[in-house]
Amino acid sequence: MKQDPTKMPAFEALMYQLLETELGGAQVYKTALKCALNDELKEEWQKYLDETTRHIQIARDLLEQVGLDADAEVPARKPVRIIGQALVQAMETALKGPNPEEAQLTAAECVVEAETKDHMNWELVGMLAEKMKGDVAKALRAAHDEVETQEDHHLYHTTGWARELWIEGLGLPAVLPPPEEKKDVETAIGAARAKNARDQMVSHR
Ligand SMILES: [Fe+2]
Ligand SMILES: [Fe+2]
């Protein structure tokens, strides 16, 4: 390794954004739950909210373990916070609209947006843990191991929900819960395979 990653400004930014994304994620799920109509989706998002609440604590602990003050207001947190607030606002606006199905669709897309960032943050933490040695690497690895599979579910399964709810809204045969959830997808390649298999899943229902 050419440089110590923990000495790079991006390391501190990633750590703070990791926490800020989880904080915003909890607000996104709380609002998304108000928009959800499908009972299985509600159940899924309630579980993801509980997991995200736990991730906030994991992220806070990780920051302290790598020597950062989890409550420090650093500039890197702000864009993440603003995006999180915008997602909540988008859902609140859709909720006031005349069509509850549209609010549910908006919520599914907002969760995908939030989870895309969340998933990437943790993926980067996993990469750092793999490349580094010592106590910081150990702390990164422990945190990553606890959340990794959950983050895969949050992103890939909700992406499936967003797509299938749109398909249902368009009056086409939808697979609900989505193939990603039925096949318990935990990787990008698995998500692509599940999406590919959806045609058979529709016709064999
Ligand atoms: Fe998370
Ligand atoms: Fe997540």
Side-chain angles (χ1 to χ4, degrees):
M1 217 169 352
K2 281 184 193 149
Q3 303 187 61
D4 176 359
T6 63
K7 301 281 185 295
M8 307 296 285
F11 179 78
E12 201 181 295
L14 176 64
M15 289 299 106
Y16 281 108
Q17 292 199 353
L18 188 78
L19 174 58
E20 197 64 43
T21 304
E22 297 291 5
L23 288 165
Q27 298 311 313
V28 166
Y29 278 116
K30 281 178 193 161
T31 317
L33 277 163
K34 292 197 271 177
C35 303
L37 302 169
N38 181 298
D39 284 337
E40 280 162 303
L41 179 60
K42 267 189 214 169
E43 204 181 297
E44 192 81 353
W45 281 351
Q46 184 57 54
K47 187 169 110 200
Y48 295 169
L49 170 59
D50 295 343
E51 290 172 352
T52 300
T53 306
R54 169 80 189 122
H55 295 181
I56 293 172
Q57 194 54 50
I58 294 171
R60 285 191 72 88
D61 292 347
L62 180 60
L63 260 76
E64 302 291 346
Q65 282 165 0
V66 302
L68 297 170
D69 171 7
D71 294 315
E73 254 321 311
V74 302
R77 300 177 82 130
K78 286 191 185 129
V80 175
R81 187 176 307 153
I82 290 167
I83 291 168
Q85 288 165 345
L87 294 173
V88 167
Q89 204 190 328
M91 288 184 274
E92 296 286 5
T93 306
L95 266 177
K96 287 187 199 120
N99 188 339
E101 262 86 23
E102 280 176 22
Q104 180 175 251
L105 279 174
T106 299
E109 291 191 8
C110 287
V111 170
V112 171
E113 295 278 344
E115 290 295 355
T116 300
K117 170 67 174 161
D118 200 19
H119 189 270
M120 189 178 68
N121 290 343
W122 283 106
E123 200 173 24
L124 291 167
V125 168
M127 279 184 203
L128 283 168
E130 222 171 84
K131 302 276 180 220
M132 290 166 54
K133 291 188 175 71
D135 288 346
V136 171
K138 221 183 269 177
L140 292 167
R141 189 169 306 118
H144 176 260
D145 287 354
E146 208 176 323
V147 307
E148 186 198 15
T149 306
Q150 293 174 356
E151 296 302 0
D152 291 335
H153 291 174
H154 296 178
L155 177 59
Y156 300 128
H157 296 198
T158 308
T159 300
W161 275 102
R163 184 193 63 243
E164 296 299 329
L165 288 171
W166 265 112
I167 289 170
E168 185 187 45
L170 291 166
L172 299 170
V175 183
L176 290 167
E180 287 85 344
E181 200 168 314
K182 287 184 178 164
K183 291 178 179 285
D184 200 25
V185 161
E186 291 174 353
T187 58
I189 201 163
R193 282 204 194 101
K195 188 181 169 189
N196 233 2
R198 66 171 305 285
D199 278 351
Q200 288 104 293
M201 295 177 84
V202 168
S203 52
H204 290 167
R205 270 195 310 170

